[in-house]
Amino acid sequence: MKRWANFESREHGHLARQIRHNLWIFTALTAMGLVRVAFDWPAETRWALVPLGLSMLVLAAATRLPLEKLAARPQIRPMLAGVYIATLVAHALFSVADPHGTVMFPAGALAIMVAAATTCGVRDGLWVGATAVTGFLTVLALDGAHDNYLNLSLLIIMAVVTVLCAITTHNRQLQQEQRDEVGYRTAALLENGSDAILAVNSDGVGYVSSSSGRVLGHESGELTMDALTAMIHPDEKERVAGFLGELIAGPPRHTGRIESRSRNRDGGYLDVEVIGTNHLHDPLIGAVILTIRDVSTQKALRGELDRQAISDPLTGLPNRALLRDRIGTAVRRHTRTAGRVSLLLIDLDDFKKVNDTLGHLTGDEFLLAQARRMAATVRPGDTLARLGGDEFAVLVEDLDEIGLHSLAQRLLAAVHEPVRIGSNVLGGSASIGIATVKAGESSDIDLTDELIRDADLAMYAAKKAGRDRAVSYEDSMFAAAVAEAEARSELERALDRNEFVVFYQPIVDLPSGRPIGVEALVRWQHPERGLLGPNEFIAHAERTGLIVPLGAGVLRVACQEMARWHREIPGADTMRVSVNLSARQFQEPNLLDTVRDVLTETGIAPETVVLEITESMLMEDVDATVVVLHRLRELGVRLAIDDFGTGYSSLSYLSRFPIDILKIDKAFVDGITANREDAALAEAVVGLGKALRLQTVAEGIEQPDQQALLTGLGCTYGQGYLFAKPVGADVITSMLHDMATAS
């Protein structure tokens, strides 16, 4: 399989094909001359058939030459112009001898001029046109024809064709420059990215990005199919071959992902992630596109995180996650015997004072000492875990109430023993909550949560009772917990009382500064704390799931306001409103129904509604995300990627998403005028948007020079404090009225 041609070689191939076409055109013109000589010239001049026949044979033979090499020569276009001019001179000489030369010359000259326009530049094309006009004037002068009106008309036609050919050539050059610019920027993004990109099919490797040498440790020219196969770890060759086989056998644009190990130049192995997409059926690609990323660091980190996920980094004891797993195991083990599973939750009293007075290093040593003492106190089959901070837990099985309290007292005694740390001797005490469940009463998950909850409530009861003691759970404790949970329901009550309000920040056309839309932003008008920003409640709403009704309410209010502005304010019917979708909303099964209902209820034009999704949300489940995005687009709304550039995305995936708008994150905009890297990143995002025919919106613009630079880069729209802060609907209404009056 040949290497994919670059932009320049493709241009040479096109030029070579056009030269070949023009040679056939000249062959046809020469054949026309043969016919003229044979049938219309006097007998004594028919000797001209010989040079004309030879010329036709030479022209036909020239079409078989390796014209691609000729097209690659730097001076090819001026050379071609000289050939066209020489052809016109020869044609003029022929026309002088022809009985009807004043008719034959314009016909042939026009064909030569059009042929020249396909291969020459504007200036050379004008020279060819001027030669044609001069040749016609010469033929007229030598012929002595007297049909002045016809001759003048033919002369004007030739001049007009000359100008039209020049204009056409100029436009073609502009279009080619624009295509090359877009192609160059797209190629630059691919070549300088963190991924190695390869195109392979049954013939071999067709394309290798130059970034492959940096990613895989082998230069791009070395990456043949045999070399790629040799780089795969022997234990994984069969699995990788199966992966490629599934890709090749899959439907068009089928995408798969695999992790493997690849040998680099020094013989060591890298952990790589390979994402493949089947483009074999695409006539412009005809290959499987492989995106390869070095994930060695991430995998090592993931392994460390997995270890940390089940153990406490300070004490090495099991952490909360492992404790929960062991509780579930214990419950399942005792399901049939109805055995007892108990949990002792231990919280060190006044530990904060140790950190505040002696420092965190001393505090850590104190925790380690207490952990060792408690580990020596519990039975060999018990699980001692550290849940975080100064909180520990002991999972025990088959101990009655007396045994549980006896163990609790031994733990309290162990904590009481003085701990010497340097010159300090520290005493300690603890509050212990005890809870027990009988297996078989509910599901494993419910029992685990119930056991931890009850032990936690009992521990807080021990704290309230004076600390340094153990307290067993009682049902009355749950009632007290309900009262404490009342505070958590405040957010839900705020929803019921419509305490949330929608503010709007204008989005403007960067060159003119004229507003073209607004972004809807939610605020909480708290009855006691005043107006609260999203940082005060969005995270909690996301955790509790209340973000779903909250987000639906924001979407409904924003669409109602925008629909009203469209109806009531002249010139506002093109304004659009952008609304953020949270991760929880995007995963909600009823999202499509919610958006459809809002569009129907408010009567807003769907194309004026923009739904914003963060880049990280898109990559959580790519296949499911693509389905949801396409269904949203079918409703008529537009889609935007918010905070683009801050998340994890692969360029091989980006084109799969039906996105209309890229929003450049404020983090890039802040340093765009002072930091060359930020400016380059912003330019790359804008260029990517142009390549994919997407609009770009820069967020967080606060300075005029930021606006000017982004405008120069070709960024379409922007928003930020430079133009306006988020304001209420009444302010936007006044702004739109002022715009209507001014226009």
Side-chain angles (χ1 to χ4, degrees):
M1 180 179 178
K2 295 182 179 179
R3 297 280 167 171
W4 283 5
N6 57 26
F7 301 124
E8 185 178 357
S9 63
R10 288 201 298 270
E11 183 180 354
H12 295 159
H14 172 75
L15 179 59
R17 287 192 299 272
Q18 194 59 56
I19 293 173
R20 187 171 285 110
H21 294 159
N22 291 347
L23 286 171
W24 283 116
I25 292 173
F26 294 163
T27 302
L29 290 175
T30 306
M32 180 184 70
L34 281 170
V35 173
R36 292 288 303 151
V37 172
F39 293 100
D40 205 23
W41 282 29
E44 63 272 13
T45 61
R46 289 181 183 172
W47 58 267
L49 289 173
V50 175
L52 284 174
L54 291 174
S55 298
M56 189 172 70
L57 292 175
V58 170
L59 288 170
T63 62
R64 311 298 296 175
L65 295 174
L67 298 176
E68 288 75 9
K69 294 182 179 179
L70 179 65
R73 298 183 63 175
Q75 297 299 320
I76 180 61
R77 295 188 186 276
M79 290 171 58
L80 289 174
V83 170
Y84 293 129
I85 291 173
T87 303
L88 282 169
V89 172
H91 182 53
L93 294 174
F94 176 87
S95 299
V96 168
D98 192 278
H100 300 286
T102 56
V103 176
M104 295 302 299
F105 182 82
L110 289 175
I112 296 170
M113 291 162 61
V114 172
T118 63
T119 57
C120 293
V122 176
R123 184 178 61 182
D124 293 337
L126 290 174
W127 277 111
V128 172
T131 302
V133 172
T134 303
F136 186 50
L137 292 173
T138 303
V139 170
L140 291 176
L142 296 176
D143 185 79
H146 301 292
D147 193 345
N148 294 330
Y149 293 112
L150 175 61
N151 295 335
L152 179 61
S153 299
L154 291 173
L155 189 64
I156 293 173
I157 290 173
M158 294 180 65
V160 169
V161 170
T162 299
V163 174
L164 289 176
C165 287
I167 294 173
T168 301
T169 301
H170 178 67
N171 291 338
R172 174 171 54 80
Q173 290 177 343
L174 289 179
Q175 291 173 351
Q176 184 62 42
E177 290 173 1
Q178 292 172 354
R179 285 195 295 268
D180 289 348
E181 183 179 355
V182 171
Y184 176 78
R185 291 184 177 178
T186 302
L189 285 171
L190 294 174
E191 298 295 333
N192 296 286
S194 60
D195 299 349
I197 300 176
L198 295 85
V200 301
N201 68 9
S202 58
D203 295 330
V205 179
Y207 171 79
V208 180
S209 66
S210 61
S211 59
S212 302
R214 183 176 66 256
V215 176
L216 300 177
H218 295 273
E219 294 304 321
S220 58
E222 302 173 355
L223 295 179
T224 63
M225 286 299 294
D226 291 339
L228 289 173
T229 302
M231 289 164 57
I232 303 171
H233 193 281
D235 297 341
E236 298 177 351
K237 287 188 177 182
E238 183 175 350
R239 188 167 63 91
V240 173
F243 165 74
L244 290 175
E246 290 180 5
L247 274 179
I248 294 171
R253 300 186 69 83
H254 171 67
T255 298
R257 175 187 173 279
I258 191 173
E259 287 192 2
S260 179
R261 285 173 287 175
S262 172
R263 190 177 68 240
N264 58 21
R265 188 184 296 275
D266 61 10
Y269 281 92
L270 305 171
D271 292 303
V272 296
E273 177 190 58
V274 183
I275 298 172
T277 303
N278 184 349
H279 287 284
L280 290 168
H281 303 276
D282 189 330
L284 297 179
I285 300 177
V288 171
I289 304 300
L290 300 177
T291 302
I292 306 175
R293 171 171 294 184
D294 181 2
V295 294
S296 301
T297 303
Q298 295 93 316
K299 193 166 184 178
L301 178 60
R302 188 162 62 238
E304 176 63 19
L305 291 175
D306 289 342
R307 186 190 67 79
Q308 294 180 5
I310 61 171
S311 63
D312 174 58
L314 176 63
T315 63
L317 295 173
N319 64 6
R320 184 184 295 272
L322 183 55
L323 176 67
R324 287 178 59 88
D325 181 71
R326 292 189 178 179
I327 292 174
T329 301
V331 169
R332 289 190 293 272
R333 185 164 50 247
H334 291 280
T335 296
R336 295 182 180 178
T337 62
R340 292 169 60 92
V341 179
S342 303
L343 185 69
L344 286 75
L345 196 61
I346 308 161
D347 188 85
L348 301 180
D349 297 329
D350 297 324
F351 173 72
K352 185 174 182 297
K353 293 181 180 178
V354 177
N355 279 337
D356 291 345
T357 57
L358 302 177
H360 287 278
L361 291 177
T362 300
D364 288 347
E365 292 187 37
F366 180 74
L367 288 173
L368 279 170
Q370 296 292 10
R372 295 190 192 102
R373 290 178 178 176
M374 287 188 281
T377 302
V378 301
R379 302 178 305 172
D382 298 337
T383 296
L384 173 66
R386 183 186 178 212
L387 306 186
D390 58 354
E391 193 172 54
F392 296 82
V394 181
L395 172 65
V396 298
E397 302 177 39
D398 296 328
L399 270 184
D400 57 18
E401 290 297 327
I402 296 176
L404 288 171
H405 279 275
S406 176
L407 174 59
Q409 293 303 317
R410 293 198 302 273
L411 288 168
L412 289 174
V415 173
H416 283 162
E417 293 183 16
V419 177
R420 179 177 293 277
I421 301 176
S423 60
N424 300 301
V425 178
L426 306 176
S429 66
S431 299
I432 301 178
I434 305 172
T436 301
V437 296
K438 289 185 178 181
E441 294 178 350
S442 184
S443 69
D444 298 345
I445 296 177
D446 291 343
L447 287 172
T448 299
D449 293 336
E450 180 181 325
L451 185 61
I452 295 174
R453 182 202 68 192
D454 293 350
D456 192 55
L457 292 173
M459 184 270 293
Y460 276 108
K463 291 277 189 186
K464 292 179 181 179
R467 305 185 179 187
D468 194 19
R469 66 194 66 211
V471 174
S472 294
Y473 171 77
E474 297 177 0
D475 290 340
S476 59
M477 296 176 184
F478 183 71
V482 172
E484 182 180 347
E486 179 64 27
R488 301 177 184 177
S489 66
E490 185 181 16
L491 189 61
E492 188 172 356
R493 291 199 301 271
L495 278 170
D496 295 337
R497 297 171 182 173
N498 294 320
E499 293 176 1
F500 293 99
V501 295
V502 180
F503 276 40
Y504 303 90
Q505 185 175 37
I507 301 172
V508 305
D509 175 70
L510 277 182
S512 65
R514 183 178 179 83
I516 57 91
V518 294
E519 181 177 2
L521 304 167
V522 65
R523 301 290 187 265
W524 184 0
Q525 189 62 59
H526 196 282
E528 297 176 358
R529 299 168 61 192
L531 190 66
L532 302 180
N535 292 338
E536 298 286 339
F537 59 87
I538 288 295
H540 184 57
E542 187 82 24
R543 287 194 301 270
T544 60
L546 293 175
I547 192 68
V548 175
L550 175 58
V554 172
L555 177 63
R556 181 171 284 102
V557 170
C559 289
Q560 286 173 344
E561 288 289 354
M562 184 56 70
R564 180 176 65 84
W565 291 328
H566 287 173
R567 291 191 307 269
E568 299 177 1
I569 303 176
D573 54 348
T574 60
M575 293 284 288
R576 69 192 191 199
V577 60
S578 298
V579 182
N580 292 284
L581 287 182
S582 73
R584 190 70 173 266
Q585 284 178 277
F586 196 73
Q587 298 164 1
E588 186 67 20
N590 297 327
L591 173 62
L592 290 170
D593 292 336
T594 299
V595 175
R596 185 185 298 108
D597 291 344
V598 169
L599 295 176
T600 302
E601 292 170 12
T602 61
I604 191 171
E607 64 272 13
T608 63
V609 178
V610 180
L611 300 181
E612 297 186 4
I613 304 100
T614 62
E615 185 180 6
S616 57
M617 285 166 54
L618 292 176
M619 301 306 299
E620 290 181 359
D621 185 346
V622 173
D623 292 334
T625 298
V626 169
V627 173
V628 174
L629 292 178
H630 276 290
R631 290 179 178 174
L632 286 171
R633 279 290 298 275
E634 290 172 1
L635 297 178
V637 300
R638 292 196 280 180
L639 302 172
I641 300 181
D642 197 14
D643 302 332
F644 183 77
T646 61
Y648 169 85
S649 67
S650 173
L651 290 175
S652 63
Y653 278 145
L654 189 58
S655 61
R656 294 183 59 193
F657 299 132
I659 298 299
D660 303 287
I661 299 168
L662 294 180
K663 299 195 73 174
I664 305 174
D665 187 65
K666 183 179 185 297
F668 296 148
V669 175
D670 286 343
I672 194 171
T673 57
N675 189 309
R676 181 177 299 176
E677 289 75 15
D678 284 350
L681 285 170
E683 183 178 10
V685 174
V686 172
L688 180 61
K690 289 181 179 178
L692 297 178
R693 295 188 178 93
L694 305 179
Q695 295 179 357
T696 49
V697 179
E699 299 181 287
I701 301 175
E702 298 180 355
Q703 304 296 331
D705 54 350
Q706 294 173 342
Q707 178 189 6
L709 181 55
L710 287 165
T711 302
L713 293 179
C715 184
T716 319
Y717 305 116
Q719 64 185 103
Y721 283 8
L722 175 64
F723 311 109
K725 294 182 178 181
V727 293
D730 54 341
V731 178
I732 299 296
T733 301
S734 299
M735 178 192 73
L736 294 176
H737 276 298
D738 292 343
M739 288 173 54
T741 302
S743 61

